[in-house]
Amino acid sequence: MPQYDLIVLGGGPAGYVGALRAAQLGAKVAVVEMRELGGTCLNRGCIPSKALLHCAHLLETSSSGRRFGVTMTAEANLDGVRKHAERCVKGLVSGVGQLFKGRGVTHLKGRGKLVGPQEVLVTGDKGEETVSGKYLLLATGSEPFVLPIPGADSEGVFTSDDAVTLPGPFEDIAIIGAGAIGCEFAYIYSRFGAKVTMVEMLERIVPNEDPDATDLLAKSLKKSGVRIELGAKCTRIEEAEGKRRLVFEQGGEEKAVAADALLMAAGRRALTKDIGLDEVGVAHDRGRVSVNEQLRTSVDTIFAAGDCLRGIGLAHQASHEAIAAVETMFGEGGHMSYAAVPAAIFTHPQVASVGIREHEAKAQGLEVSVGTFPFSAIGKASAIGEREGFVKLVADAKSGQLIGASAVGPDVTELMAEVTLAVQMGCTAADVAGTIHSHPTLSEVVGEAALAVLGRPIHGM
């Protein structure tokens, strides 16, 4: 029986990063992955969708050139857009393979199932093989959640896994769910000329983010022609005159929207079915693996990281969890901090956040000082015609220590890195306010927001 120091189930952002870190520590590592290395993120999520979003934003920017005195003619070549996304994916997946080769990580192509606290059965094209590891890391990721409603499996209904191949073009498309995935694809399809309708069960889009930020995003999406139906519970999908007809209940009434296609973006769920959790005694909550602060499961030799813990999550969070788990296994004192995990939505305007948002602080009864500063008062934002949005910093009222932030506007997904570091390091608003931000840059909005926490913004009232 082949033996390893670590066997990883799953080759996504948790699995492959954990494997590479273990290899750095001198461990003999194998990764069991039946599909392409890189998991959902590289192949069916983060990377291809951001490639599509970039193309959509290029189209929008080109069409708005006239307001800058620059006239451009732009059109979308969907085949070219698809090829761009495919090239990005292929290059990055190949890069992971090269890293595996360079660090001596073995890729066991097949499906893995736990058959013991230190054993995995790998089933692949060449048959079955049992391998043994001193430690096991579960990093099996997640899969799209499909609403259990009549018609959900009918033709013309697809998930985010399919959406990254950019099906269409469609004259109109309905999107079930207005979370990050739903909003990003609403932006993509609306820019490529489709009439988009988002149907969301809750009372606002992206409900976990700051209401001020998501209200502004909703306004922007509506301005671009996206129809948003809130407080709407989907009940069935029918076929009517060659289109899909999505029926939903809203305000006590039954309503419907017809479209060429339906995108199911109602969330994701942990991909842990039939991997042997119960057989080996790994505790879980309806498929979501349970772990302690060290990312260790109820079985001492088995750890877990990523979406298999929650059903949905962030690639960067999954990677850091895997690193922490591996460092714990091999005596490096791994630690995962959840106080400073940034989130990003790549619509236009972008939305980003980290730590405790203002509405969460209020719900928890925390005493906080909040500083908000608009992009409209930032010179660089005016120069590039991106004046919409703001950065909001949340600090402990007594100590001034930053505990969170929310933002909406140009490149806020990049600007959030500074705030994430500040939250991670326990910096105060005064620390950030006293840091020189280059002029003219969008980053100045962070410095001004920190000054606003202190009640003395320079370029605002």
Side-chain angles (χ1 to χ4, degrees):
M1 180 188 303
Q3 297 191 1
Y4 298 89
D5 296 313
L6 173 63
I7 299 173
V8 183
L9 271 67
Y16 86 76
V17 170
L20 292 173
R21 179 61 182 130
Q24 282 182 332
L25 295 173
K28 182 181 179 182
V29 185
V31 173
V32 183
E33 173 57 65
M34 63 181 174
R35 303 179 72 172
E36 309 89 344
L37 292 175
T40 295
C41 177
L42 265 64
N43 294 280
R44 298 170 295 282
C46 310
I47 301 305
S49 66
K50 275 41 181 192
L52 298 180
L53 283 158
H54 176 66
C55 294
H57 187 45
L58 278 178
L59 190 63
E60 179 184 11
T61 301
S62 299
S63 63
S64 63
R66 187 174 291 105
R67 65 191 176 108
F68 300 103
V70 179
T71 301
M72 293 177 279
T73 301
E75 62 180 13
N77 178 338
L78 295 192
D79 285 337
V81 170
R82 294 184 187 103
K83 288 178 181 177
H84 166 62
E86 290 169 4
R87 283 193 299 269
C88 291
V89 170
K90 185 177 180 181
L92 291 170
V93 171
S94 174
V96 174
Q98 290 300 314
L99 287 170
F100 272 26
K101 184 177 181 180
R103 297 189 190 175
V105 176
T106 301
H107 176 196
L108 301 176
K109 194 168 180 64
R111 177 176 175 80
K113 182 176 181 177
L114 303 175
V115 291
Q118 294 177 300
E119 294 180 353
V120 176
L121 175 66
V122 181
T123 304
D125 295 337
K126 298 180 181 179
E128 295 183 344
E129 178 185 33
T130 300
V131 293
S132 174
K134 181 179 180 181
Y135 295 106
L136 309 180
L137 175 63
L138 306 181
T140 51
S142 61
E143 62 183 351
F145 173 72
V146 177
L147 286 180
I149 59 175
D153 59 349
S154 60
E155 185 179 351
V157 180
F158 59 97
T159 70
S160 58
D161 280 4
D162 310 304
V164 293
T165 64
L166 198 62
F170 302 119
E171 181 178 336
D172 35 42
I173 180 172
I175 299 176
I176 300 174
I181 294 173
C183 287
E184 287 186 351
F185 278 102
Y187 174 75
I188 290 170
Y189 274 105
S190 67
R191 290 302 180 267
F192 288 141
K195 296 178 181 177
V196 180
T197 301
M198 283 199 298
V199 181
E200 169 59 49
M201 183 174 66
L202 300 178
E203 294 300 328
R204 64 184 181 89
I205 68 171
V206 205
N208 56 308
E209 295 295 340
D210 182 273
D212 295 332
T214 55
D215 285 351
L216 196 155
L217 174 59
K219 181 180 178 181
S220 178
L221 288 170
K222 290 176 182 178
K223 190 184 301 182
S224 67
V226 176
R227 172 184 165 192
I228 302 175
E229 297 288 351
L230 299 174
K233 181 182 178 181
C234 298
T235 57
R236 64 185 184 277
I237 298 170
E238 306 170 338
E239 185 174 349
E241 300 178 356
K243 289 183 177 288
R244 309 283 81 73
R245 185 171 181 269
L246 174 62
V247 182
F248 57 93
E249 295 177 358
Q250 185 183 58
E253 298 181 30
E254 184 173 89
K255 300 181 180 179
V257 57
D260 294 328
L262 269 75
L263 169 59
M264 189 74 69
R268 298 179 68 85
R269 61 183 177 187
L271 186 55
T272 57
K273 185 179 179 180
D274 298 328
I275 66 167
L277 296 181
D278 292 328
E279 291 86 339
V280 178
V282 174
H284 62 93
D285 178 15
R286 291 172 293 179
R288 296 187 292 268
V289 180
S290 302
V291 294
N292 63 15
E293 291 182 356
Q294 295 180 320
L295 285 308
R296 192 190 300 265
T297 71
S298 55
V299 179
D300 284 348
T301 54
I302 302 177
F303 291 70
D307 284 10
C308 67
L309 304 179
R310 293 168 293 276
I312 189 168
L314 301 161
H316 44 274
Q317 179 175 340
S319 296
H320 278 265
E321 285 176 335
I323 291 171
V326 165
E327 290 180 344
T328 296
M329 295 175 197
F330 297 106
E332 293 293 317
H335 173 69
M336 178 65 195
S337 173
Y338 291 98
V341 178
I345 304 173
F346 295 84
T347 46
H348 186 228
Q350 296 179 354
V351 175
S353 64
V354 68
I356 301 175
R357 304 157 183 87
E358 181 186 20
H359 67 290
E360 293 172 330
K362 290 180 178 178
Q364 294 174 31
L366 301 178
E367 293 185 17
V368 296
S369 297
V370 177
T372 303
F373 201 82
F375 279 101
S376 59
I378 299 298
K380 176 67 178 291
S382 291
I384 64 174
E386 298 278 1
R387 291 165 49 84
E388 188 176 47
F390 59 84
V391 167
K392 177 188 292 186
L393 300 184
V394 182
D396 177 77
K398 293 182 179 179
S399 67
Q401 181 177 331
L402 291 174
I403 61 172
S406 297
V408 57
D411 290 336
V412 294
T413 57
E414 303 287 344
L415 298 180
M416 198 52 58
E418 176 189 357
V419 185
T420 300
L421 179 61
V423 173
Q424 174 77 12
M425 300 304 295
C427 295
T428 64
D431 291 329
V432 175
T435 300
I436 298 175
H437 294 77
S438 182
H439 176 77
T441 64
L442 294 175
S443 70
E444 291 177 273
V445 73
V446 177
E448 288 281 9
L451 285 168
V453 172
L454 304 173
R456 51 183 177 88
I458 298 297
H459 293 91
M461 301 301 291

